[in-house]
Amino acid sequence: MNTNATQSLDTRGMNCPLPILRTKKALSILGAGETLAVTATDPGSLKDMQAFCKQTGNELISSSANQGEFEFLIRKA
Amino acid sequence: MGAIEKSILESLDQSAFNQWFDQRFEAKMAEREAAHVPSLSIIATKGTMDWAYPPFILASTAGALGWDVSIFFTFYGLELLKKDLHLEISPLGNPSMPMKMPFGPQWLKDINWKVPNLVMAGIPGFEKMATGLMEQTVKSKGVASIEELRSACIEADAKLYACQMTVDLFGHSQDDFIPEIEGWIGAASFLPVAQKSDVCLFI
């Protein structure tokens, strides 16, 4: 888990579309430029998070996969 | 074309004008596209637990993406707007539905129980049992409940419309439904909404 992020969100065990819905909710209370670290186990989240960020204009700073766990760092636009 | 337009066009350098126009057109189109909020319209017609998922998953996700969402619930789809959701699932006549145990050792979970229609139809409470097993599977796989997805839609300001005709037809009472319903309308009111949306789905 990225400790430098403003806020972190654990969506492990959740399935589509919950990780996206929770991410959206968590981002909504952040200010512009603040960051959110998301952990997930949903294999679809790797593609979905990219699409979500592209569509909503938020920046996907990094995404990584490690033994069935995915980590994303998002900067709010 | 009027005489004035004609004289303006004649005095123009045609190729420079065309080039300017193309650039301007591209820029304007890009501007328009950037400012455009995508929209989704769904016509939800099914009231079983399995068919409750597609409209609510798509609508809540579209809401998360910042889209404008409208759903028209008609016929059995109205069940999805009840205050108390008692959605059931039926494996009867539904050969694509896997019948697997949500608990027990892996070898047991992997078995797909192909129960003949005749047997399913003859056992009282078979649908209740299948519904219970499905609910357990949903929970153990981390899939959201219908209530959860519906709340997410409401939070994202999705407009939920109920079909007035169906309410009259089936003798429903408006009190049985959630208060967040945007309106009790008919096809003539929803079609113009659907016409303006980028994506329109019949589910």
Side-chain angles (χ1 to χ4, degrees):
Chain A
M1 177 65 76
N2 192 311
T3 47
N4 296 322
T6 316
Q7 197 65 252
S8 60
L9 172 70
D10 185 1
T11 70
R12 285 175 297 178
M14 292 180 198
N15 226 318
C16 167
L18 283 177
I20 291 292
L21 299 185
R22 294 290 156 83
T23 301
K24 156 86 180 167
K25 209 171 188 179
L27 280 172
S28 68
I29 52 169
L30 289 186
E34 292 188 311
T35 52
L36 178 73
V38 185
T39 28
T41 47
D42 170 18
S45 65
L46 207 51
K47 284 243 163 77
D48 280 357
M49 211 60 89
Q50 278 177 19
F52 167 77
C53 288
K54 196 171 171 216
Q55 180 100 84
T56 53
N58 297 297
E59 185 193 351
L60 184 60
I61 302 168
S62 67
S63 66
S64 62
N66 185 25
Q67 294 175 341
E69 277 204 16
F70 307 93
E71 287 196 14
F72 307 94
L73 188 62
I74 302 168
R75 181 180 291 123
K76 184 170 173 172
Chain B
M1 201 185 296
I4 300 170
E5 284 98 327
K6 219 170 197 172
S7 75
I8 291 173
L9 278 179
E10 273 164 11
S11 65
L12 273 175
D13 176 347
Q14 270 297 326
S15 72
F17 173 77
N18 286 343
Q19 201 183 347
W20 169 83
F21 178 83
D22 287 351
Q23 278 173 4
R24 188 92 183 106
F25 184 72
E26 286 290 323
K28 274 281 161 202
M29 289 303 280
E31 214 173 273
R32 250 187 97 159
E33 201 172 325
H36 175 72
V37 177
S39 52
L40 166 71
S41 290
I42 297 176
I43 299 161
T45 63
K46 315 275 193 299
T48 51
M49 185 196 176
D50 45 351
W51 280 99
Y53 275 97
F56 282 136
I57 288 180
L58 291 164
S60 58
T61 305
L65 294 179
W67 293 25
D68 282 338
V69 180
S70 308
I71 316 177
F72 183 52
F73 296 85
T74 184
F75 271 76
Y76 314 116
L78 265 189
E79 286 301 310
L80 312 185
L81 291 179
K82 288 265 179 83
K83 274 180 195 155
D84 298 310
L85 288 172
H86 295 292
L87 303 178
E88 292 196 297
I89 189 165
S90 181
L92 187 61
N94 190 359
S96 297
M97 181 181 161
M99 293 277 283
K100 292 183 177 180
M101 288 293 171
F103 41 69
Q106 197 58 46
W107 64 265
L108 185 70
K109 286 197 213 171
D110 287 342
I111 299 174
N112 191 2
W113 302 84
K114 283 283 176 198
V115 185
N117 277 343
L118 198 65
V119 177
M120 286 196 261
I123 301 176
F126 195 85
E127 275 163 12
K128 283 261 183 295
M129 184 195 73
T131 301
L133 292 175
M134 190 66 186
E135 280 168 353
Q136 210 151 353
T137 305
V138 161
K139 212 177 255 178
S140 68
K141 299 269 180 183
V143 172
S145 69
I146 293 301
E147 284 91 341
E148 210 172 348
L149 292 173
R150 188 172 73 179
S151 304
C153 290
I154 292 167
E155 259 174 59
D157 284 329
K159 293 190 176 59
L160 312 179
Y161 297 103
C163 172
Q164 180 59 51
M165 183 274 277
T166 311
V167 175
D168 300 338
L169 176 69
F170 291 150
H172 291 307
S173 156
Q174 289 196 0
D175 298 337
D176 296 338
F177 295 90
I178 54 170
E180 289 88 351
I181 290 173
E182 185 78 16
W184 302 80
I185 62 173
S189 301
F190 191 72
L191 281 174
V193 176
Q195 186 203 2
K196 297 275 182 236
S197 65
D198 299 298
V199 181
C200 185
L201 306 172
F202 178 89
I203 301 178

